[in-house]
Amino acid sequence: MILYMIRHGESEANAGGYHSGWGCVHLTEKGRIQAEKTRALMKDIPIDELYVSDIRRAQETAEIIFPEKDRTFITLAREINTTPLFGKNKEQLTEIYGQKYLDCRKNFDYAPLGVDCESLMHMSMRAEEMLKWAQKKENKSICVVSHAGFITAVAGRVLGIDAHSHALLCENASVCAFEFINGIWKLKLWNLAPGA
């Protein structure tokens, strides 16, 4: 089976440089253009089932890329939950938390701030759950429209590496693919990005 994962297009939070977590932010005009370009990339790829993170920016992206395809919302594919930091940027949070925030940012794990953010370990466990769920979809081609943090967590599980060492870049509206063959997950495609 093949699991395609697509990151949402540029969001207002991406453009504004602030945390959004599970909050409701929309795509920018650039993000909509990126999704249109990804639609062209995906037009000849058969998808048996489409799943979409229930967070608004992923929904908007899926609506553009797959306008006529039935979709199922999947909370498992949400971004790491940094909702308590919603609307604040790096400078504001550094002023509040100092070096502790910068360390959290470097590690992509904001749970140590003690403000009810999801831990990186928890998101990694969700990524493992996603792979177990997907591998049961034998002989199918499925697509999940999701978020950079979650997609890199899935890649980390597949590759057996710390995906949040910033070695893996997952651009807005990029396509990644994972294949389950002979009981093993393999990375088939990484960060096929449509450009600006």
Side-chain angles (χ1 to χ4, degrees):
M1 70 85 50
I2 296 181
L3 168 62
Y4 292 96
M5 298 194 78
I6 301 175
R7 183 186 177 191
H8 61 80
E10 182 188 72
S11 70
E12 295 165 341
N14 295 144
Y18 62 85
H19 286 270
S20 55
W22 294 355
C24 182
V25 296
H26 298 277
L27 295 182
T28 61
E29 182 59 30
K30 178 180 178 181
R32 288 187 283 279
I33 291 168
Q34 290 169 329
E36 286 286 352
K37 290 180 179 179
T38 300
R39 180 179 177 181
L41 290 176
M42 295 298 293
K43 70 179 174 67
D44 295 324
I45 297 175
I47 300 295
D48 297 312
E49 297 175 10
L50 175 63
Y51 297 88
V52 181
S53 160
D54 62 336
I55 297 174
R56 189 70 208 143
R57 55 198 183 268
Q59 293 176 36
E60 291 177 0
T61 301
E63 288 163 7
I64 294 168
I65 299 172
F66 304 103
E68 297 177 12
K69 187 139 187 81
D70 290 336
R71 61 191 67 104
T72 303
F73 292 142
I74 182 166
T75 58
L76 190 61
R78 288 177 172 178
E79 181 59 280
I80 192 167
N81 186 9
T82 61
T83 310
L85 309 178
F86 183 85
K88 293 184 177 67
N89 63 27
K90 176 183 173 183
E91 290 73 26
Q92 291 168 317
L93 290 165
T94 302
E95 189 173 318
I96 296 168
Y97 298 105
Q99 187 62 42
K100 188 173 188 178
Y101 169 76
L102 296 174
D103 292 343
C104 288
R105 184 177 174 87
K106 177 181 169 190
N107 298 324
F108 199 68
D109 188 347
Y110 299 93
L113 291 178
V115 292
D116 205 24
C117 290
E118 181 180 26
S119 71
L120 182 58
M121 179 184 289
H122 185 266
M123 187 174 65
S124 183
M125 289 167 53
R126 282 198 286 120
E128 182 67 23
E129 190 177 340
M130 167 69 73
L131 291 169
K132 287 178 181 174
W133 166 82
Q135 69 192 40
K136 294 175 186 172
K137 306 255 180 201
E138 294 179 23
N139 302 316
K140 287 196 173 178
S141 173
I142 65 172
C143 182
V144 177
V145 180
S146 186
H147 309 268
F150 187 72
I151 295 169
T152 55
V154 170
R157 285 293 192 167
V158 169
L159 298 172
I161 63 170
D162 175 11
H164 294 92
S165 64
H166 304 286
L168 295 173
L169 175 66
C170 185
E171 295 180 62
N172 288 113
S174 64
V175 180
C176 301
F178 305 90
E179 193 168 19
F180 190 65
I181 306 173
N182 299 323
I184 298 172
W185 278 103
K186 296 182 179 182
L187 178 62
K188 184 177 174 94
L189 175 70
W190 183 255
N191 196 42
L192 178 61

